[in-house]
């Protein structure tokens, strides 16, 4: 375990005890999804080295891929400059999105057009 | 203006009227930062084609780079599968982070170590 637990000290969780986690693929560099972690899900993520989030809709821990098999192996976790966002680099197994697309940003092609 | 404004209909802003925006560089594919937009800042982003956020700490509109010169030209904006997150691809001018680093995730090297 090379991970330095001190490095995630001082994280700022919001009033609901949550912090946003941007999940990016180490293979494609695509942003796969944004999800939320609380202290417990972050601890489980570090322990299992697979992403575990807090599902705001279901109000429960959410081990990504537990049912679909599309788990995400955690490679690195980095906090941002003010400690209120996490960037989680992962090796993903299968599509990230529950719709079956590689990322949660793939299903809205019309929004992906050139702005200028 | 190729951008289809219909594509951003149905966005889900949170109880504070905000939506998280993940900002990614089209050049490096690095995730530069996560910031928040409200309807007005999103409209200004679309209008000016530069990122405009809502600063939660200052409680005011924040045209990224207005003072530093490190603006971000918007290339695409995509919503995620449930419409509560934006992915903003940008051409960035200068470092994204107020600390002077390329991304807001660069200053915490110890957190970027290999988890496994």
């Amino acid at each position: 375990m090379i991970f330095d637990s001190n490095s995630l000290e001082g994280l700022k969780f919001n009033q609901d005890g949550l912090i946003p986690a941007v999940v990016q693929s180490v293979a494609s560099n695509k942003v796969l999804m944004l999800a939320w972690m609380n202290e417990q899900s972050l601890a489980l993520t570090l322990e299992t080295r697979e992403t575990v989030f807090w599902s705001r809709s279901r109000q429960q821990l959410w081990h990504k891929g537990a049912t679909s098999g599309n788990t995400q192996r955690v490679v690195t976790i980095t906090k941002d400059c003010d400690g209120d966002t996490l960037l989680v680099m992962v090796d993903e197994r299968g599509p990230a999105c529950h719709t079956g697309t590689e990322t949660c940003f793939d299903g809205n092609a019309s929004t992906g057009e050139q702005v200028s």
Side-chain angles (χ1 to χ4, degrees), chain A:
Chain A
M1 179 87 165
I2 306 172
F3 188 81
D4 174 9
S5 60
N6 291 329
S7 59
L8 289 179
E9 281 182 359
L11 286 181
K12 293 177 198 160
F13 294 86
N14 71 12
Q15 69 273 17
D16 296 321
L18 302 176
I19 189 167
V22 178
V23 182
Q24 184 176 21
S25 164
V26 291
S28 69
N29 276 322
K30 288 185 182 176
V31 173
L32 301 176
M33 58 193 289
L34 182 138
W36 294 79
M37 292 186 175
N38 61 11
E39 282 196 45
Q40 188 184 5
S41 73
L42 177 57
L44 286 167
T45 297
L46 294 173
E47 182 186 328
T48 64
R49 303 181 191 186
E50 293 194 347
T51 52
V52 179
F53 304 107
W54 177 257
S55 169
R56 296 176 304 165
S57 56
R58 297 195 300 274
Q59 288 286 304
Q60 63 183 37
L61 289 168
W62 166 33
H63 175 195
K64 176 83 180 75
T67 53
S68 67
N70 300 329
T71 52
Q72 297 171 330
R73 190 179 68 81
V74 176
V75 179
T76 61
I77 301 180
T78 313
K79 66 182 175 185
D80 74 347
C81 54
D82 50 9
D84 64 2
T85 302
L86 297 175
L87 177 63
V88 185
M89 301 296 299
V90 302
D91 263 333
E92 73 269 35
R93 184 175 300 157
C97 191
H98 71 287
T99 64
T101 56
E102 181 185 359
T103 88
C104 289
F105 299 93
D106 287 333
N108 299 282
S110 62
T111 64
E113 293 175 2
Q114 211 74 8
V115 172
S116 59

